[in-house]
């Protein structure tokens, strides 16, 4: 998902440089959304992994 966020960010930068404001804005919005979803998913799985590690080790 982070890969797609980076792709949309690059598309937004290129479109903005070429003067396509609407496309650049839409691509930037999609990139922000995907990055936010990636960050939330990462944090959820990090917490779940830490909790599972504590159960396995008994700590």
């Amino acid at each position: 998902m982070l890969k797609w966020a980076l792709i949309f960010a690059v598309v937004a930068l290129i479109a903005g440089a070429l003067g396509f404001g609407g496309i650049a804005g839409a691509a930037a919005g999609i990139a922000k959304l995907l990055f936010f979803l990636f960050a939330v998913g990462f944090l959820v799985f990090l917490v779940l992994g830490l909790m599972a590690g504590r159960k396995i080790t008994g700590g």
Side-chain angles (χ1 to χ4, degrees), residues 1-54:
M1 194 173 312
L2 184 60
K3 179 177 131 181
W4 282 103
L6 290 173
I7 289 171
F8 276 106
V10 169
V11 167
L13 287 173
I14 293 172
L18 295 176
F20 297 106
I23 295 172
I30 293 171
K32 285 179 190 178
L33 175 69
L34 288 175
F35 181 76
F36 176 73
L37 289 175
F38 166 78
V40 169
F42 173 77
L43 291 175
V44 166
F45 282 113
L46 181 66
V47 169
L48 288 174
L50 291 174
M51 293 174 111
R54 288 185 184 167

